[in-house]
Amino acid sequence: MAADIEEKTDRYEGLLADALDAAEIAPPEGTPMHDAALDCEEMASAYLEDGRHFRDDDDLVNALASFSYGHAWLDAGARIGLFDVPTEGHLFTV
């Protein structure tokens, strides 16, 4: 089972990092929706860093949770139009 969580943690870290790179803020600057997109992007980035910290401490459960939560912020933002994201592939559920 340990190998399963290690593989999954690595995979989810990569998924979050790739999703952060692919997501582009959609609403125009100076609008409340742009501010909301920045907040979601900041949360996703913070969860990526937290997950890496947990993984470095061999806390794979919290690392995996952090990577999953971070991706959820981006995925939810994409679904409500805060981000322009690829519609093909595995990064988003749009």
Side-chain angles (χ1 to χ4, degrees):
M1 181 164 155
D4 293 337
I5 194 166
E6 288 174 12
E7 182 277 326
K8 194 169 194 174
T9 301
D10 290 343
R11 185 164 31 100
Y12 277 56
E13 177 187 9
L15 180 67
L16 175 53
D18 290 347
L20 271 166
D21 287 341
E24 295 185 17
I25 294 176
E29 286 187 43
T31 64
M33 293 297 280
H34 185 269
D35 293 343
L38 288 174
D39 288 343
C40 287
E41 185 178 58
E42 182 180 353
M43 291 299 294
S45 292
Y47 274 116
L48 179 61
E49 293 308 311
D50 288 348
R52 288 175 172 166
H53 172 78
F54 286 127
R55 193 188 57 212
D56 288 344
D57 287 344
D58 292 323
D59 185 351
L60 296 181
V61 171
N62 282 316
L64 179 57
S66 292
F67 297 143
S68 297
Y69 286 136
H71 192 271
W73 277 94
L74 290 179
D75 213 26
R79 290 184 66 83
I80 63 172
L82 297 180
F83 301 107
D84 287 328
V85 299
T87 56
E88 299 294 321
H90 66 284
L91 293 179
F92 296 95
T93 60
V94 293

